[in-house]
Amino acid sequence: MASTATATNVSAQAETMQLRLASGNGPITRTIRRTPLRDASPSEIPLIDVSPMFSDSLADRQGVARKVHDAATNNGFFYISNHGIPAEVTDSAHVACLDFFRQDMDVKMKTDANKGSFHNGYRAPDTQRLNPDEGVDIRESYTIRYDPRIDPTIADPSSIPEQAAKYLHIHNSPWENTENLPHFKESFVRYFQACLVLARALTRAFALSLGLDEGAFDSKVQYPDAAFGLNYYPPIAGGSSDKAAATLTPGDPDARVSIGSHTDFQLFTILWQDSNGGLQVLNREGQWIGARPVEGTFVVNIADYLQRITNDRYVSTVHRAQNWSGRERVSMPFFWGFGLHESCGVLDSCVAEGEEKKYGEIRCIDWFNRRIGNMLDLSEENACNNGRSSKGGGPPITGLQAGAEAGVSVSLEPRLCARAPHATNASSHPSLANPPQSRPNHVITFLRKEHLPPNEACFQVPLRFTKFDLRDYLWNLYGVEVRTVRSYVKPQPLTQRNSHSRSWYRPQPLKIMTVELAKPFQWPELPTNLEPWSNELWKMREDLMEKRNEEQLHQHAFKIPLKSQEPQSKERKDLAALAGQMLRGEVKWSNDAVLDPKWDGVLAKSAAVPRETTPKKDETTLP
């Protein structure tokens, strides 16, 4: 999902306020009416019976496609019924979800998403802030990303093409450290598989709704970008739904929201929500309307990439959640989109005569990098304009968090902003004109960020570093001039001291600075020949570390394998083969060592000297 930032330029008595949104083309603004929250009408969020979508009759499937088209061009939200997923599948997932989130914190933190290489897993309370100006999200979440090993359409995951497989991260399991809840994995594997079938069927319905062959997108979702985002919302203390809609003022440090206003990233989202409600949708008139739960249905909403390739005909609508029910609430969104290796431009069927295509073709991975980058830039701008401290603290929006919300297989660094004054020529700065003669005793790391434009560069610097320190450092040592500097401090996640302790601590934070360069810089292509960098040795080290980590995890879980079950190392296999050859008389033992000639004389003298024998205990030695 993408995050949004809100800002108001009107007085408290005004009837409207401004909602700022991050998009792939920069920030946009929506005008919000200060009206009491009301339930959506059937014309705003219609209910569509999608059972004909599975019919053998093309006419039946086209009938569903027409209804989908009408809903997608209106508010971009609709309910679907008779979708083919049995109630026992969603009920089982709901129970498993509650069982997980109701555990003690130290048990849940064993599945901390920050520990994994692909960020599957758990995120604790007060660690997520999807909208930088609507307060900290009052929720916990758990991410389960697409794994082709549970996709019934993938016969052999090892045969997936490299360009697709590199974005799937098959090695990282979302089920790590959930063995204490065996039904958790079982329930969500069943649910994930059911959603894959439904999502692919809906993809074909969307293709028909756009005037395309219904199989037009089949190849693009063969290895999809998909994920579950399990959300657990404790009740917001005090207030009501009317208060939520009418008094949630942008910039209010006391604002409380279950999940902030946002749009989703990819094609569409399939949402299951419990009976407590709380989902709110921003309609075309700028009113927040409630998408009340309807038993036996899912809510489907259009996401940003689908809006883009339809030339803005289909609407990716802003939505949020506020749990004012007084009870715990669970929602289970299933994010769906093209594989990150795929690309798509504006569809010809979405361009009428005399119209032009608004957007060019873009790869999904590039779209996500741009989308997240623009979202973080808006978060930085909000922090610069309003001051993070005036909001009562709270975690910043991070690329990791944004990727998790969208089901995105991308991890980016978080960024917060504190703008530096523009740099002028060197003569106007004494520190530039007369650099101090001293040797640096610090480490500065140049970070490669694919989403940054050529005129920006990102660095990790010591905590004591100021913006002027980095500016002077780059100018005096490398002759690189910068115009502005943005900085933020990245807090580190809570970490358990060791596997046997219940003590947690927060490691020292990192300081990140992003500079605007006077001259653009282009990263060189990665070398294909890595031998000069001892790549083989590095791979061996990484494999060894991964093996040791796996062994430690098994030991902590008391899963110590028998010696007979351990795989033999290459050295042991070679020794076993050599021993077999010696037993068969095929070779003689030799250590292939050539002694220095000076030792020949020593060995000869040693052989000439008779060895003394030690008398046995029952022998008597006479003087």
Side-chain angles (χ1 to χ4, degrees), residues 422-445:
H422 284 280
T424 58
N425 57 55
S427 61
S428 64
H429 289 281
S431 61
L432 295 179
N434 302 293
Q437 301 299 317
S438 60
R439 296 180 182 273
N441 62 346
H442 42 250
V443 176
I444 296 177
T445 305

Side-chain angles (χ1 to χ4, degrees), residues 520-590:
F521 169 80
Q522 188 68 37
W523 280 93
E525 294 293 332
L526 292 175
T528 56
N529 181 18
L530 300 178
E531 291 184 3
W533 289 273
S534 303
N535 186 55
E536 291 298 325
L537 183 61
W538 175 262
K539 288 179 63 179
M540 290 174 58
R541 176 185 176 277
E542 290 295 300
D543 292 342
L544 180 60
M545 292 296 294
E546 184 176 352
K547 180 181 178 182
R548 288 180 177 176
N549 289 338
E550 185 177 354
E551 290 175 349
Q552 290 178 358
L553 289 174
H554 286 166
Q555 290 177 0
H556 296 160
F558 300 101
K559 294 181 179 179
I560 303 177
L562 299 175
K563 281 293 182 181
S564 59
Q565 297 176 345
E566 292 182 353
Q568 286 190 340
S569 63
K570 182 178 181 302
E571 292 78 5
R572 292 188 64 86
K573 291 179 181 179
D574 292 344
L575 285 174
L578 179 60
Q581 291 175 338
M582 293 176 61
L583 290 174
R584 294 189 296 270
E586 298 175 1
V587 296
K588 293 185 178 180
W589 168 255
S590 173

